[in-house]
Amino acid sequence: MTNIMNQQQYIELEDKFGAHNYKPLDVVLNRGEGVWVWDVNGKKYLDCLSSYSAVNQGHCHPKILRTMTEQAQKLTLTSRAFRNDQLGLFYRELCELTDSHKVLPMNSGAEAVETVIKAVRKWGYQVKGIQKDRAEIIVCKNNFHGRTITIVGFSTDKSSREGFGPFTQGFKIIPFGSPKALEGAITPNTVGFLVEPIQCEAGVIIPLAGYLKEVRTICEKRNIVLILDEIQTGLGRTGKLLAEEHDGIEADLTLIGKALSGGFYPVSAVLSNSEVLGVLRPGEHGSTFGGNPLACAVARTAIKVLIEEKMIENAASMGAYFLNELKGIKSPKIKEVRGKGLMIGVEFFSEIGGARQYCERLKDRGLLCKETHDNIIRFSPPLLIKREEIDWALERIEAVLNED
Ligand SMILES: *Cc1c(COP(=O)(O)O)cnc(C)c1O
């Protein structure tokens, strides 16, 4: 045995020396393969969170792993002071796949969000002729776009923003899912509308079909940039490559991250269908690690396996199956079951005292998931999950709901 510490000792170590900015379930993992992960005692769990959809391709996908180790032995970082042999290929493959014209590579999702904020503001001043420092960006209530000061400044979630001010100016908040609210909020200074196709962190909030289509029309008509944050909904999660496809539209700017590397490495990107990214000139934006050859090589393979192994189609069919079976569970505790593809939310009545207790009990039975806000559990397993594995999960979910 190489483990010299027991599970409790790992937990104590984290709690003693680490900042307490998360409240994790007390399971200490040290191995993963596909939809499964193992704890330090060798107990096996079905991962129904997929690291917030960063491991859509499953844990430690062998092909991505091979690329990672091969590229790591060749070249990892050049900085963008020089060029590298992976970046152009990464750009081209991503553009061809998503029908985009330009890509700007970053690392975390929040950095991609910050990048578009800069780019659309500059576009507003340069192309739209907005007066200096007047640009406005419209965002939605209950949004989640990351954790930087600018981003939490336009969050409506108390714990995300309270105590962190002062914040960045220039954002306007409207209700999610209302094209009318968008119309009403646009002023001559508006440069863009930043929105998630599904509000995953807010608890898998799905707008009415056609919402994005109406939004697309409004943005076009009023000459504002439509920015879709597909960092969680993108790359197959909802049963399409990008969730915008459900409404048959294309955003001007699309943000992807998380599963772009299959969980191996932080890689994010801004995809542009318009000339917005063209306003950025040398020296105006950058990142030491953004676009590095290791990230690009890993992302190229992560995208390749997503397509080649038909994970997107599987997310659509298995997601429909999982959703339907969950809807079939008769429990007085469940208020609503909703989802698209393998992004599924189960909302409980608040009277039951929070969803966390069910996450704990599911953990004991070998299923890992996490509550989002108090009363909702998100089920978002890796996209290669099989029907038998969903049945395995359903048995445990039903058993836990039938207790007491
Ligand atoms: C996770 C997430 C982000 C932030 O990504 P990080 O890599 O954690 O910075 C932004 N938007 C959405 C919709 C996300 O789910």
Side-chain angles (χ1 to χ4, degrees), residues 300-351:
R300 290 177 64 207
T301 304
I303 293 168
K304 204 168 148 191
V305 302
L306 195 72
I307 307 296
E308 280 182 1
E309 297 178 20
K310 305 220 176 305
M311 293 185 192
I312 304 171
E313 292 86 339
N314 193 61
S317 59
M318 287 301 111
Y321 175 68
F322 199 179
L323 183 67
N324 194 49
E325 294 297 307
L326 282 169
K327 280 185 172 164
I329 295 178
K330 296 279 164 274
S331 167
K333 295 164 184 151
I334 296 179
K335 187 173 171 194
E336 191 183 44
V337 177
R338 52 184 179 257
K340 204 161 241 181
L342 281 168
M343 172 55 64
I344 297 173
V346 175
E347 181 164 357
F348 294 90
F349 285 106
S350 56
E351 289 77 18

Side-chain angles (χ1 to χ4, degrees), residues 204-220:
V204 191
I205 310 300
I206 305 170
L208 289 177
Y211 170 60
L212 288 181
K213 201 164 188 166
E214 282 190 63
V215 161
R216 174 70 278 180
T217 307
I218 294 166
C219 290
E220 200 105 26

